[in-house]
Amino acid sequence: MRPRVEGRLPGLLQAKASRRGFLIGAGSIGLATAMAGCGSGGSGGSGKNGTLTIWASTTFVPGGDSALSKAAGEFGTKNDVKVTVQGFAANDLINKITTTLSGGGGPDLVIVDVSQVAQLAAAKLLADLTDRVTPIKSQYFPGNIAAATSEGKIYAVPYDTSNVALFYNKKMFEKAGISAPPTTWDELRSAAKELTGGGKYGYMLGAKGYGSYLYWPWLWQNGGQVTSPDFTKATFDSPEGLEAWQFYADLYLKDNVVPPTFLGVTDSWDQFLQPFMTETVAMMPMGDFGIAPLTKGNPKLEYGVAPMPKKVQSATVLGGNAVAVTKAAKNADLAWKFTSWLTSAEQEKVLEEGYKRIPARTDITGSEFAGKDPARAVFVQQAATAVSRPPVPNWGAIEWGVMADAWDSVIQKKKAPADALKAAATDSTAKLTKK
Protein backbone atom coordinates (compact mmCIF):
# COMPACT_ATOMS: atom_id res chain seq x y z
CA MET A 1 0.00 0.00 0.00
CA ARG A 2 -5.50 -2.50 0.71
CA PRO A 3 1.77 -0.48 -0.71
CA ARG A 4 1.62 -2.88 -1.02
CA VAL A 5 3.14 -1.76 -2.24
CA GLU A 6 3.74 -5.78 -0.57
CA GLY A 7 6.56 -6.79 -2.95
CA ARG A 8 7.59 -5.46 -6.35
CA LEU A 9 7.26 -7.27 -9.63
CA PRO A 10 10.16 -7.34 -12.10
CA GLY A 11 7.78 -8.31 -14.91
CA LEU A 12 4.69 -6.14 -14.53
CA LEU A 13 3.10 -7.35 -17.73
CA GLN A 14 3.39 -11.01 -16.80
CA ALA A 15 0.66 -10.76 -14.20
CA LYS A 16 -1.75 -8.09 -13.08
CA ALA A 17 -0.33 -6.10 -10.20
CA SER A 18 -2.34 -5.83 -7.03
CA ARG A 19 -3.37 -2.45 -5.74
CA ARG A 20 -2.24 -3.64 -2.31
CA GLY A 21 1.23 -4.22 -3.56
CA PHE A 22 3.50 -1.31 -3.01
CA LEU A 23 0.94 0.55 -1.00
CA ILE A 24 -0.89 -1.03 1.78
CA GLY A 25 1.60 -2.31 3.39
CA ALA A 26 1.69 -2.46 1.38
CA GLY A 27 3.95 -0.58 1.95
CA SER A 28 5.48 -1.73 -1.11
CA ILE A 29 6.66 0.58 -1.97
CA GLY A 30 5.60 -2.07 -3.88
CA LEU A 31 4.31 -3.79 -6.69
CA ALA A 32 2.65 -7.08 -5.88
CA THR A 33 1.72 -9.99 -8.05
CA ALA A 34 -1.94 -10.84 -7.78
CA MET A 35 -1.49 -14.53 -8.48
CA ALA A 36 -3.80 -17.16 -7.14
CA GLY A 37 -2.43 -20.16 -5.31
CA CYS A 38 1.12 -20.49 -4.08
CA GLY A 39 4.51 -21.78 -5.09
CA SER A 40 7.08 -23.47 -2.93
CA GLY A 41 10.70 -24.45 -2.95
CA GLY A 42 13.74 -24.62 -0.76
CA SER A 43 14.92 -27.91 0.79
CA GLY A 44 18.68 -28.30 1.38
CA GLY A 45 20.00 -30.68 4.02
CA SER A 46 18.39 -33.67 5.66
CA GLY A 47 17.13 -31.59 8.53
CA LYS A 48 19.59 -33.04 11.01
CA ASN A 49 20.13 -29.57 12.47
CA GLY A 50 16.53 -28.44 12.27
CA THR A 51 13.83 -27.24 9.90
CA LEU A 52 12.64 -23.80 8.79
CA THR A 53 9.52 -22.68 6.99
CA ILE A 54 9.46 -19.29 5.26
CA TRP A 55 6.43 -17.49 3.85
CA ALA A 56 6.64 -14.68 1.31
CA SER A 57 4.54 -13.24 -1.47
CA THR A 58 4.54 -14.75 -4.95
CA THR A 59 6.61 -11.74 -5.96
CA PHE A 60 9.52 -13.59 -4.37
CA VAL A 61 8.21 -17.12 -4.82
CA PRO A 62 6.26 -17.39 -8.08
CA GLY A 63 7.16 -21.07 -8.17
CA GLY A 64 9.64 -23.58 -6.86
CA ASP A 65 12.51 -22.34 -9.02
CA SER A 66 12.92 -18.87 -7.51
CA ALA A 67 16.01 -16.98 -6.38
CA LEU A 68 14.78 -17.03 -2.77
CA SER A 69 14.12 -20.76 -2.91
CA LYS A 70 17.58 -21.42 -4.33
CA ALA A 71 19.15 -19.29 -1.61
CA ALA A 72 17.19 -21.16 1.05
CA GLY A 73 18.36 -24.44 -0.42
CA GLU A 74 21.96 -23.24 -0.30
CA PHE A 75 21.60 -22.31 3.36
CA GLY A 76 19.99 -25.68 4.07
CA THR A 77 22.78 -27.60 2.40
CA LYS A 78 25.54 -25.72 4.20
CA ASN A 79 23.89 -26.08 7.59
CA ASP A 80 22.13 -29.43 7.16
CA VAL A 81 18.78 -27.75 7.69
CA LYS A 82 15.60 -28.53 5.83
CA VAL A 83 14.16 -25.24 4.57
CA THR A 84 10.73 -24.86 2.99
CA VAL A 85 9.81 -21.66 1.17
CA GLN A 86 6.19 -20.96 0.31
CA GLY A 87 4.74 -18.11 -1.74
CA PHE A 88 1.21 -16.75 -1.41
CA ALA A 89 -0.69 -14.19 -3.44
CA ALA A 90 0.12 -10.75 -2.08
CA ASN A 91 -3.54 -9.96 -1.42
CA ASP A 92 -3.79 -13.01 0.80
CA LEU A 93 -0.40 -13.12 2.51
CA ILE A 94 -0.95 -10.84 5.51
CA ASN A 95 -4.35 -12.37 6.35
CA LYS A 96 -2.98 -15.89 6.03
CA ILE A 97 -0.02 -15.05 8.27
CA THR A 98 -2.27 -13.46 10.89
CA THR A 99 -4.87 -16.20 10.89
CA THR A 100 -2.42 -19.09 10.97
CA LEU A 101 -0.09 -17.65 13.61
CA SER A 102 -3.03 -16.62 15.80
CA GLY A 103 -4.25 -20.20 15.60
CA GLY A 104 -0.98 -21.58 16.89
CA GLY A 105 0.54 -22.68 13.60
CA GLY A 106 2.38 -20.92 10.82
CA PRO A 107 5.91 -20.36 9.50
CA ASP A 108 9.15 -19.69 11.34
CA LEU A 109 9.90 -16.64 9.21
CA VAL A 110 7.97 -14.22 7.02
CA ILE A 111 9.04 -11.72 4.40
CA VAL A 112 6.50 -8.91 4.43
CA ASP A 113 6.12 -5.35 3.26
CA VAL A 114 7.69 -2.95 5.74
CA SER A 115 4.37 -1.25 6.43
CA GLN A 116 2.93 -4.53 7.68
CA VAL A 117 5.51 -5.08 10.41
CA ALA A 118 3.74 -2.88 12.98
CA GLN A 119 0.45 -4.66 12.37
CA LEU A 120 1.97 -8.07 13.01
CA ALA A 121 3.97 -6.80 15.98
CA ALA A 122 0.89 -5.28 17.61
CA ALA A 123 -0.85 -8.64 17.29
CA LYS A 124 2.13 -10.18 19.14
CA LEU A 125 2.90 -12.49 16.24
CA LEU A 126 6.58 -11.54 15.79
CA ALA A 127 9.67 -12.08 17.88
CA ASP A 128 11.39 -9.03 19.35
CA LEU A 129 14.72 -8.75 17.49
CA THR A 130 15.91 -5.54 19.15
CA ASP A 131 18.92 -7.07 20.89
CA ARG A 132 19.96 -8.93 17.75
CA VAL A 133 19.49 -6.08 15.27
CA THR A 134 20.72 -3.09 17.30
CA PRO A 135 24.43 -3.97 16.92
CA ILE A 136 24.08 -4.15 13.11
CA LYS A 137 21.33 -1.63 12.37
CA SER A 138 23.83 0.90 10.97
CA GLN A 139 24.29 -1.51 8.06
CA TYR A 140 20.76 -0.69 6.83
CA PHE A 141 19.13 2.50 5.60
CA PRO A 142 17.60 4.47 8.51
CA GLY A 143 14.15 4.64 6.91
CA ASN A 144 14.01 0.86 6.56
CA ILE A 145 15.06 0.37 10.16
CA ALA A 146 12.38 2.86 11.26
CA ALA A 147 9.77 0.93 9.29
CA ALA A 148 10.83 -2.31 11.02
CA THR A 149 10.45 -0.68 14.45
CA SER A 150 7.25 -0.50 16.48
CA GLU A 151 6.91 1.15 19.90
CA GLY A 152 10.66 1.30 20.28
CA LYS A 153 11.34 -2.33 19.48
CA ILE A 154 12.76 -3.80 16.26
CA TYR A 155 10.72 -6.68 14.89
CA ALA A 156 12.31 -7.31 11.49
CA VAL A 157 15.48 -6.93 9.45
CA PRO A 158 15.25 -4.77 6.30
CA TYR A 159 15.61 -6.80 3.11
CA ASP A 160 15.00 -4.74 -0.01
CA THR A 161 14.22 -1.05 -0.32
CA SER A 162 12.25 1.05 -2.77
CA ASN A 163 11.15 4.64 -3.15
CA VAL A 164 9.38 6.92 -5.62
CA ALA A 165 11.22 9.01 -8.23
CA LEU A 166 10.20 11.01 -11.30
CA PHE A 167 10.15 9.21 -14.66
CA TYR A 168 10.18 11.54 -17.68
CA ASN A 169 9.95 11.04 -21.44
CA LYS A 170 13.08 12.44 -23.09
CA LYS A 171 11.59 12.84 -26.57
CA MET A 172 8.52 14.65 -25.29
CA PHE A 173 10.75 16.95 -23.24
CA GLU A 174 12.93 17.70 -26.25
CA LYS A 175 9.92 18.43 -28.44
CA ALA A 176 8.57 20.84 -25.82
CA GLY A 177 11.94 22.56 -25.55
CA ILE A 178 12.51 21.46 -21.95
CA SER A 179 16.17 20.74 -21.36
CA ALA A 180 16.06 19.03 -17.95
CA PRO A 181 13.62 17.37 -15.55
CA PRO A 182 11.99 19.69 -12.99
CA THR A 183 13.62 20.06 -9.59
CA THR A 184 10.97 22.22 -7.87
CA TRP A 185 7.18 22.31 -7.66
CA ASP A 186 7.00 25.42 -9.81
CA GLU A 187 9.21 23.85 -12.46
CA LEU A 188 7.10 20.69 -12.45
CA ARG A 189 3.85 22.59 -12.91
CA SER A 190 5.36 24.73 -15.68
CA ALA A 191 6.79 21.69 -17.48
CA ALA A 192 3.55 19.73 -17.12
CA LYS A 193 1.62 22.57 -18.75
CA GLU A 194 4.11 22.80 -21.62
CA LEU A 195 3.87 19.06 -22.18
CA THR A 196 0.06 19.00 -22.27
CA GLY A 197 -1.81 19.33 -25.55
CA GLY A 198 -2.78 17.39 -28.66
CA GLY A 199 -3.97 14.40 -26.66
CA LYS A 200 -0.79 14.34 -24.58
CA TYR A 201 -0.52 15.11 -20.87
CA GLY A 202 2.22 16.33 -18.59
CA TYR A 203 1.75 14.32 -15.41
CA MET A 204 0.21 11.09 -14.13
CA LEU A 205 -1.90 10.58 -11.02
CA GLY A 206 -3.84 7.65 -9.62
CA ALA A 207 -7.17 7.20 -7.86
CA LYS A 208 -8.01 5.47 -4.56
CA GLY A 209 -4.95 4.40 -2.57
CA TYR A 210 -2.63 5.10 -5.47
CA GLY A 211 -3.52 8.75 -5.06
CA SER A 212 -3.29 8.81 -1.26
CA TYR A 213 0.04 6.96 -1.25
CA LEU A 214 1.61 9.38 -3.70
CA TYR A 215 0.52 12.39 -1.64
CA TRP A 216 3.03 11.71 1.14
CA PRO A 217 6.13 12.90 -0.77
CA TRP A 218 4.43 16.26 -1.44
CA LEU A 219 3.58 16.57 2.25
CA TRP A 220 7.15 15.93 3.37
CA GLN A 221 8.62 18.12 0.62
CA ASN A 222 6.63 21.01 2.08
CA GLY A 223 7.82 20.35 5.63
CA GLY A 224 4.66 18.61 6.85
CA GLN A 225 4.32 15.40 8.84
CA VAL A 226 1.80 12.56 8.67
CA THR A 227 1.31 12.25 12.41
CA SER A 228 2.50 13.63 15.71
CA PRO A 229 5.81 12.14 16.99
CA ASP A 230 3.94 9.73 19.25
CA PHE A 231 1.67 8.57 16.39
CA THR A 232 -1.52 9.49 18.23
CA LYS A 233 -2.71 12.39 16.09
CA ALA A 234 -2.92 12.91 12.33
CA THR A 235 -1.16 16.16 11.40
CA PHE A 236 -1.21 15.99 7.61
CA ASP A 237 -3.89 18.71 7.57
CA SER A 238 -1.44 21.31 8.86
CA PRO A 239 -0.97 24.47 6.72
CA GLU A 240 1.99 22.75 5.06
CA GLY A 241 -0.06 19.63 4.44
CA LEU A 242 -3.01 21.54 3.05
CA GLU A 243 -0.79 23.53 0.68
CA ALA A 244 0.75 20.29 -0.58
CA TRP A 245 -2.66 18.59 -0.93
CA GLN A 246 -4.06 21.56 -2.84
CA PHE A 247 -1.09 21.70 -5.21
CA TYR A 248 -1.29 17.96 -5.77
CA ALA A 249 -5.03 18.03 -6.50
CA ASP A 250 -4.81 21.15 -8.67
CA LEU A 251 -2.61 19.34 -11.16
CA TYR A 252 -5.90 17.78 -12.23
CA LEU A 253 -8.56 20.18 -10.99
CA LYS A 254 -7.08 23.45 -12.28
CA ASP A 255 -3.99 22.79 -14.37
CA ASN A 256 -5.58 20.01 -16.45
CA VAL A 257 -2.22 18.32 -17.00
CA VAL A 258 -3.46 14.85 -16.00
CA PRO A 259 -5.27 12.45 -18.35
CA PRO A 260 -8.92 12.04 -17.23
CA THR A 261 -8.46 8.29 -17.51
CA PHE A 262 -6.44 8.39 -14.28
CA LEU A 263 -9.77 8.19 -12.47
CA GLY A 264 -9.85 4.54 -13.50
CA VAL A 265 -6.50 3.68 -11.92
CA THR A 266 -8.00 1.76 -9.04
CA ASP A 267 -6.69 -1.79 -9.27
CA SER A 268 -3.04 -2.00 -10.25
CA TRP A 269 0.22 -0.24 -10.94
CA ASP A 270 0.09 -1.50 -14.53
CA GLN A 271 -2.93 0.76 -15.05
CA PHE A 272 -0.95 3.65 -13.62
CA LEU A 273 2.10 2.97 -15.78
CA GLN A 274 0.33 2.36 -19.09
CA PRO A 275 -0.11 6.00 -20.24
CA PHE A 276 3.59 6.68 -19.73
CA MET A 277 4.55 3.46 -21.49
CA THR A 278 2.44 4.40 -24.52
CA GLU A 279 3.83 7.97 -24.48
CA THR A 280 0.52 9.61 -23.70
CA VAL A 281 1.94 11.06 -20.47
CA ALA A 282 5.34 12.75 -20.18
CA MET A 283 6.01 12.40 -16.42
CA MET A 284 4.99 10.00 -13.68
CA PRO A 285 6.03 9.28 -10.09
CA MET A 286 6.95 5.61 -9.78
CA GLY A 287 9.13 3.19 -7.86
CA ASP A 288 12.09 1.34 -9.31
CA PHE A 289 9.72 -1.59 -9.86
CA GLY A 290 8.60 0.32 -12.96
CA ILE A 291 11.93 -0.07 -14.76
CA ALA A 292 11.60 -3.71 -15.82
CA PRO A 293 8.02 -3.50 -17.15
CA LEU A 294 8.84 -0.36 -19.13
CA THR A 295 11.83 -2.10 -20.67
CA LYS A 296 9.73 -5.10 -21.59
CA GLY A 297 6.57 -3.26 -22.62
CA ASN A 298 8.22 -0.58 -24.77
CA PRO A 299 11.92 -1.32 -25.38
CA LYS A 300 12.26 1.76 -27.60
CA LEU A 301 10.95 4.17 -24.97
CA GLU A 302 13.51 6.88 -24.24
CA TYR A 303 13.04 7.97 -20.65
CA GLY A 304 15.05 9.21 -17.72
CA VAL A 305 14.60 9.06 -13.96
CA ALA A 306 15.21 12.02 -11.66
CA PRO A 307 14.77 12.71 -7.95
CA MET A 308 11.33 13.93 -6.92
CA PRO A 309 11.02 17.74 -7.16
CA LYS A 310 11.06 19.66 -3.90
CA LYS A 311 9.51 22.65 -2.19
CA VAL A 312 11.29 23.40 1.09
CA GLN A 313 13.18 20.10 1.13
CA SER A 314 13.75 16.91 -0.85
CA ALA A 315 11.65 13.90 0.17
CA THR A 316 10.24 10.66 -1.15
CA VAL A 317 8.30 7.76 0.31
CA LEU A 318 9.96 4.52 1.32
CA GLY A 319 8.83 1.00 0.54
CA GLY A 320 10.41 -2.43 0.62
CA ASN A 321 10.26 -5.70 2.47
CA ALA A 322 11.68 -7.04 5.71
CA VAL A 323 12.40 -10.46 7.21
CA ALA A 324 10.81 -11.27 10.56
CA VAL A 325 10.97 -14.23 12.94
CA THR A 326 7.51 -15.30 14.05
CA LYS A 327 6.25 -16.43 17.45
CA ALA A 328 5.80 -19.89 15.90
CA ALA A 329 9.54 -20.33 15.30
CA LYS A 330 10.51 -23.68 16.74
CA ASN A 331 14.17 -22.66 16.96
CA ALA A 332 14.56 -18.89 17.29
CA ASP A 333 18.36 -19.07 17.08
CA LEU A 334 18.22 -21.01 13.81
CA ALA A 335 15.60 -18.64 12.42
CA TRP A 336 17.84 -15.71 13.28
CA LYS A 337 20.84 -17.42 11.73
CA PHE A 338 18.98 -17.67 8.43
CA THR A 339 17.69 -14.08 8.70
CA SER A 340 21.14 -12.61 9.33
CA TRP A 341 22.58 -14.74 6.51
CA LEU A 342 19.91 -13.77 3.96
CA THR A 343 20.20 -10.04 4.75
CA SER A 344 23.99 -10.01 4.78
CA ALA A 345 26.23 -8.27 2.24
CA GLU A 346 27.25 -11.65 0.82
CA GLN A 347 23.65 -12.45 -0.14
CA GLU A 348 22.83 -9.14 -1.82
CA LYS A 349 23.20 -11.08 -5.07
CA VAL A 350 19.89 -12.83 -4.40
CA LEU A 351 18.01 -9.52 -4.74
CA GLU A 352 20.27 -8.00 -7.38
CA GLU A 353 20.50 -10.95 -9.74
CA GLY A 354 17.29 -12.74 -8.92
CA TYR A 355 14.85 -9.83 -8.72
CA LYS A 356 16.72 -6.68 -9.85
CA ARG A 357 15.80 -5.25 -6.46
CA ILE A 358 17.80 -2.81 -4.34
CA PRO A 359 19.08 -4.30 -1.07
CA ALA A 360 18.21 -2.21 1.99
CA ARG A 361 21.86 -2.13 3.03
CA THR A 362 23.88 1.07 3.07
CA ASP A 363 26.80 -0.62 1.31
CA ILE A 364 24.74 -0.69 -1.88
CA THR A 365 25.53 3.01 -2.27
CA GLY A 366 28.37 3.42 -4.72
CA SER A 367 28.35 -0.28 -5.64
CA GLU A 368 28.67 -1.66 -9.15
CA PHE A 369 25.02 -2.73 -9.05
CA ALA A 370 23.87 0.76 -8.11
CA GLY A 371 25.87 2.44 -10.86
CA LYS A 372 25.20 -0.04 -13.63
CA ASP A 373 21.82 1.49 -14.50
CA PRO A 374 21.45 5.33 -14.39
CA ALA A 375 17.77 4.96 -13.49
CA ARG A 376 18.49 2.60 -10.61
CA ALA A 377 21.22 4.94 -9.38
CA VAL A 378 18.61 7.61 -8.66
CA PHE A 379 16.63 5.26 -6.43
CA VAL A 380 19.79 4.26 -4.58
CA GLN A 381 20.63 7.96 -4.17
CA GLN A 382 17.21 8.60 -2.62
CA ALA A 383 17.28 5.49 -0.41
CA ALA A 384 19.30 7.17 2.33
CA THR A 385 16.70 9.91 2.84
CA ALA A 386 13.47 8.11 1.90
CA VAL A 387 10.82 8.51 4.61
CA SER A 388 8.84 5.58 6.00
CA ARG A 389 5.15 5.84 6.68
CA PRO A 390 4.08 5.73 10.34
CA PRO A 391 4.68 2.30 11.92
CA VAL A 392 1.16 1.96 13.28
CA PRO A 393 -0.91 -1.25 13.30
CA ASN A 394 -3.89 0.21 11.46
CA TRP A 395 -1.96 2.06 8.77
CA GLY A 396 -3.72 0.22 5.95
CA ALA A 397 -7.12 1.39 7.17
CA ILE A 398 -5.86 4.97 7.03
CA GLU A 399 -4.00 4.92 3.72
CA TRP A 400 -6.34 2.59 1.83
CA GLY A 401 -9.48 3.61 3.68
CA VAL A 402 -9.71 7.12 5.05
CA MET A 403 -7.16 8.80 2.77
CA ALA A 404 -8.17 6.90 -0.34
CA ASP A 405 -11.78 7.96 0.16
CA ALA A 406 -10.74 11.55 0.80
CA TRP A 407 -8.67 11.66 -2.37
CA ASP A 408 -11.45 10.18 -4.46
CA SER A 409 -13.94 12.70 -3.08
CA VAL A 410 -11.61 15.47 -4.30
CA ILE A 411 -10.86 14.18 -7.79
CA GLN A 412 -14.52 13.28 -8.29
CA LYS A 413 -15.28 16.89 -7.35
CA LYS A 414 -17.57 15.94 -4.49
CA LYS A 415 -15.59 17.81 -1.82
CA ALA A 416 -13.27 20.79 -1.74
CA PRO A 417 -9.67 19.67 -1.10
CA ALA A 418 -9.41 21.48 2.24
CA ASP A 419 -12.67 20.01 3.54
CA ALA A 420 -11.71 16.51 2.50
CA LEU A 421 -8.29 16.70 4.11
CA LYS A 422 -9.58 18.11 7.40
CA ALA A 423 -12.22 15.39 7.65
CA ALA A 424 -9.62 12.72 6.81
CA ALA A 425 -7.34 13.98 9.58
CA THR A 426 -10.15 13.78 12.11
CA ASP A 427 -11.06 10.25 11.04
CA SER A 428 -7.40 9.16 10.98
CA THR A 429 -6.81 10.46 14.49
CA ALA A 430 -9.77 8.40 15.68
CA LYS A 431 -8.18 5.29 14.18
CA LEU A 432 -4.76 6.09 15.64
CA THR A 433 -6.18 6.35 19.15
CA LYS A 434 -8.50 3.37 18.88
CA LYS A 435 -7.29 0.40 20.90
Side-chain angles (χ1 to χ4, degrees):
M1 238 344 73
R2 297 175 283 177
R4 223 303 36 230
V5 316
E6 163 295 323
R8 314 322 164 249
L9 175 63
L12 174 64
L13 301 181
Q14 294 176 0
K16 191 166 185 177
S18 164
R19 67 185 179 93
R20 293 186 163 207
F22 181 65
L23 306 182
I24 172 180
S28 80
I29 192 222
L31 184 63
T33 319
M35 295 174 63
C38 64
S40 63
S43 72
S46 64
K48 177 182 178 182
N49 292 326
T51 63
L52 289 174
T53 300
I54 304 157
W55 285 6
S57 82
T58 44
T59 297
F60 288 109
V61 196
D65 190 27
S66 69
L68 178 61
S69 297
K70 290 178 180 177
E74 178 186 341
F75 176 87
T77 298
K78 288 182 177 180
N79 296 278
D80 202 2
V81 173
K82 183 178 181 180
V83 186
T84 301
V85 180
Q86 290 183 277
F88 299 90
N91 283 1
D92 302 328
L93 179 62
I94 191 68
N95 287 336
K96 186 167 182 64
I97 290 173
T98 301
T99 301
T100 308
L101 290 176
S102 297
D108 301 283
L109 298 126
V110 293
I111 300 178
V112 295
D113 188 281
V114 290
S115 66
Q116 295 172 327
V117 173
Q119 176 183 343
L120 294 173
K124 303 187 183 306
L125 300 179
L126 302 181
D128 180 359
L129 300 180
T130 306
D131 291 342
R132 297 183 189 266
V133 178
T134 298
I136 60 172
K137 70 178 184 179
S138 63
Q139 297 177 16
Y140 304 92
F141 291 116
N144 292 85
I145 287 290
T149 302
S150 179
E151 297 188 347
K153 296 180 180 180
I154 303 173
Y155 288 95
V157 181
Y159 190 36
D160 65 302
T161 189
S162 184
N163 57 74
V164 172
L166 183 70
F167 286 66
Y168 64 97
N169 186 299
K170 292 183 175 181
K171 283 189 174 180
M172 294 175 75
F173 267 57
E174 182 179 359
K175 186 177 180 180
I178 304 172
S179 60
T183 59
T184 67
W185 287 13
D186 288 342
E187 288 179 1
L188 182 135
R189 171 176 274 163
S190 177
K193 289 180 177 179
E194 288 292 326
L195 292 158
T196 298
K200 307 291 184 180
Y201 294 88
Y203 198 76
M204 189 62 189
L205 295 175
K208 288 190 177 292
Y210 298 97
S212 61
Y213 169 73
L214 291 170
Y215 161 64
W216 307 127
W218 300 97
L219 171 69
W220 293 320
Q221 288 160 17
N222 205 33
Q225 296 296 326
V226 181
T227 71
S228 58
D230 62 359
F231 309 119
T232 61
K233 182 181 179 181
T235 58
F236 52 74
D237 63 334
S238 64
E240 296 84 1
L242 179 56
E243 183 181 27
W245 180 259
Q246 188 73 56
F247 180 92
Y248 182 48
D250 281 349
L251 291 171
Y252 171 63
L253 297 177
K254 294 183 179 180
D255 300 330
N256 300 309
V257 298
V258 182
T261 53
F262 92 95
L263 293 166
V265 178
T266 60
D267 292 317
S268 64
W269 281 107
D270 53 358
Q271 290 178 320
F272 184 95
L273 183 145
Q274 192 68 23
F276 185 84
M277 180 184 291
T278 57
E279 303 191 73
T280 300
V281 169
M283 294 183 287
M284 70 169 180
M286 175 63 81
D288 59 298
F289 52 84
I291 296 174
L294 285 177
T295 301
K296 181 175 182 179
N298 187 354
K300 296 182 179 180
L301 181 65
E302 295 183 22
Y303 71 91
V305 176
M308 291 293 286
K310 66 179 181 179
K311 182 73 182 297
V312 300
Q313 62 190 21
S314 298
T316 186
V317 60
L318 177 143
N321 294 276
V323 186
V325 177
T326 75
K327 75 167 190 177
K330 294 174 285 295
N331 185 331
D333 289 337
L334 179 60
W336 171 251
K337 184 175 182 179
F338 177 83
T339 300
S340 59
W341 176 83
L342 183 66
T343 58
S344 68
E346 292 72 24
Q347 296 307 313
E348 288 176 352
K349 60 186 178 182
V350 177
L351 287 169
E352 296 173 354
E353 298 172 8
Y355 303 102
K356 306 302 180 187
R357 301 294 306 141
I358 300 171
R361 297 180 55 86
T362 56
D363 58 15
I364 195 65
T365 304
S367 68
E368 181 182 354
F369 175 74
K372 190 178 297 183
D373 184 338
R376 183 186 298 129
V378 174
F379 292 101
V380 174
Q381 172 190 335
Q382 292 192 140
T385 56
V387 184
S388 64
R389 288 157 288 169
V392 295
N394 47 6
W395 178 249
I398 293 174
E399 186 168 73
W400 273 96
V402 175
M403 288 299 290
D405 290 344
W407 176 244
D408 274 13
S409 72
V410 170
I411 59 179
Q412 292 169 7
K413 303 179 182 179
K414 295 179 179 179
K415 281 188 178 181
D419 294 340
L421 194 67
K422 288 291 184 182
T426 298
D427 291 346
S428 295
T429 294
K431 290 187 178 298
L432 289 170
T433 56
K434 184 178 180 180
K435 298 298 183 181

